[in-house]
Amino acid sequence: MVRAGEQATGVIPGLRGVRIWLYVLAALVVGMVAVGGATRLTGSGLSITEWRPVTGAIPPVSAEAWAAEFDKYRDTPQYRILNQGMGLSDFKVLYAWEWGHRLLGRIVGLVFFLPLLWFWWRGALTRRLGLGLLGLGLLGGLQGAIGWIMVASGLQPGMTAVAPLKLALHLTTASLILAGLVWLAAGLRAPDAAVEVDPPRLRRTALAIMTLVVVQIFLGGLVAGSKAGLLYNTWPTMDGHLIPPVAELFAGTPWIENFVDNLALVQLNHRLTAYLLLAVALVHAFDARRARPGSGMGRRATGIAALVLTQAVLGITTLLLAVPLWAALAHQVFAMAVLTMATVHARRAARSHVPAPLGRPSTPFGYETLTGRTA
């Protein structure tokens, strides 16, 4: 039976609470990305030199504890090369950013697992949804491990920052978690009474846009991690060249490493993928509005094109201003908004040909299955 308000919001009966929970989690992940970006941009990511998932939740509170943490940091290459002579008060600012980032990660974990156990106990999850959530839980655990591997890379001799590839993987994994949460949440919205049947090409293009956004986020992580955004601060050319000379793009050996270590090629790849994403989004919006005038598909496609265009302008602004903190952080966070919209669009497009919602299973995927009770 549909409860009051569920039909009006289009949510599959019995799953409104699950959908709200998933979107809350998605918002927390975006917050995590924002704090992580600020941590990177302020150079704070290496201020905590140990991975203590449980005890690390409590920050230093005594003068002795702060002195001990500061001594550990002063033994890092970043301090000896970049921050020699830093005082304790400045170190506390760095520490606060990294500690806040890790604390938010712990909060995300709790907000994920505690309600998950509750919904599972109540039998409120479909089998497909339950398996999807378990997969996201595993991905979240992997994300924590990648985060520490990333930090550890910056503590190696001669390093003053984390390895760009590991930073890009860390950011991309967070983006995949966000996309997974939004995908599951969007799938809990029941199809409209008049089911929209979108052409297959529109559904495929919607999925391609979501994939391109993830690829672009990965490339942006490489740019951020290597500080490639400081190399060419001109647009549309790169210091007079639409494309730098091949000898410059592939100056390193072996050639494959240029895609990660060559700053010119790293920035160029990020630019070219941005152009491709914008072109696909604009063509998709035109195609959707022509093929499905007045439909949800057309409105969503137009919205995505507008978001991608705005993100492109923000990226160019960040580049021309030589990557100020506010612009770089806004560019990173707005990428999450683009990914969220693209994921909702791809999920709704994928379901446009489904004749009826999946609904809740006749046998709940949860504790009630073991007891023989039903919801």
Side-chain angles (χ1 to χ4, degrees), residues 6-371:
E6 288 178 335
Q7 192 172 35
T9 60
V11 182
I12 294 176
L15 293 178
R16 184 182 184 189
V18 176
R19 187 168 183 260
I20 292 173
W21 164 59
L22 291 174
Y23 276 125
V24 169
L25 273 170
L28 286 173
V29 171
V30 173
M32 185 83 175
V33 171
V35 175
T39 300
R40 172 183 58 82
L41 290 164
T42 56
S44 305
L46 301 178
S47 57
I48 301 179
T49 60
E50 296 175 326
W51 190 31
R52 295 175 294 169
V54 178
T55 58
I58 303 175
V61 292
S62 66
E64 294 78 9
W66 275 114
E69 290 296 322
F70 193 25
D71 284 341
K72 295 173 186 175
Y73 177 66
R74 286 191 293 186
D75 196 37
T76 65
Q78 186 189 63
Y79 174 82
R80 292 194 297 267
I81 297 173
L82 294 182
N83 294 330
Q84 187 76 34
M86 171 184 284
L88 179 60
S89 60
D90 291 331
F91 169 71
K92 288 182 177 181
V93 175
L94 299 183
Y95 191 98
W97 277 113
E98 176 63 8
W99 178 80
H101 184 53
R102 297 191 186 193
L103 179 64
L104 188 53
R106 294 181 175 95
I107 292 174
V108 170
L110 289 175
V111 175
F112 176 80
F113 281 107
L114 293 182
L116 174 63
L117 292 175
W118 169 255
F119 287 125
W120 178 80
W121 176 275
R122 297 290 297 172
L125 305 176
T126 65
R127 188 172 302 275
R128 183 182 300 177
L129 178 58
L131 292 175
L133 288 169
L134 290 177
L136 285 179
L138 293 175
L139 190 59
L142 177 63
Q143 170 72 334
I146 293 174
W148 171 245
I149 292 171
M150 177 189 69
V151 171
S153 71
L155 300 175
Q156 300 302 311
M159 296 292 291
T160 60
V162 300
L165 181 58
K166 293 180 173 64
L167 185 146
L169 289 174
H170 190 51
L171 177 61
T172 305
T173 306
S175 301
L176 291 175
I177 292 172
L178 173 63
L181 291 168
V182 173
W183 181 276
L184 292 177
L188 298 182
R189 182 183 174 90
D192 297 332
V195 178
E196 297 181 354
V197 181
D198 297 318
R201 72 175 185 281
L202 293 180
R203 298 199 297 268
R204 289 193 295 266
T205 307
L207 186 60
I209 289 174
M210 184 185 74
T211 304
L212 272 175
V213 172
V214 174
V215 171
Q216 180 68 337
I217 288 172
F218 171 78
L219 295 174
L222 288 179
V223 171
S226 63
K227 295 182 172 57
L230 298 174
L231 181 61
Y232 298 107
N233 296 112
T234 58
W235 186 86
T237 66
M238 300 174 72
D239 285 353
H241 301 280
L242 286 176
I243 297 179
V246 174
E248 181 179 346
L249 296 175
F250 292 94
T253 55
W255 68 271
I256 191 69
E257 292 185 359
N258 288 283
F259 288 92
V260 176
D261 298 329
N262 188 311
L263 303 190
L265 185 58
V266 167
Q267 188 185 127
L268 175 65
N269 288 337
H270 192 48
R271 289 190 183 208
L272 292 179
T273 306
Y275 299 150
L276 175 62
L277 175 59
L278 180 58
V280 173
L282 290 174
V283 170
H284 178 59
F286 175 79
D287 189 20
R289 292 179 70 89
R290 180 182 60 83
R292 301 281 289 115
S295 67
M297 166 65 77
R299 290 189 296 271
R300 292 192 307 269
T302 303
I304 289 173
L307 287 176
V308 172
L309 179 60
T310 302
Q311 174 71 340
V313 172
L314 185 55
I316 293 169
T317 302
T318 303
L319 184 72
L320 295 178
L321 296 178
V323 197
L325 189 150
W326 68 268
L329 189 57
H331 188 51
Q332 180 169 313
V333 174
F334 200 78
M336 299 300 109
V338 177
L339 177 59
T340 297
M341 183 63 185
T343 303
V344 170
H345 180 52
R347 184 66 177 114
R348 295 294 292 163
R351 300 188 75 232
S352 67
H353 65 290
V354 177
L358 295 175
R360 295 178 62 179
S362 56
T363 303
F365 180 66
Y367 178 77
E368 296 177 2
T369 304
L370 305 178
T371 62

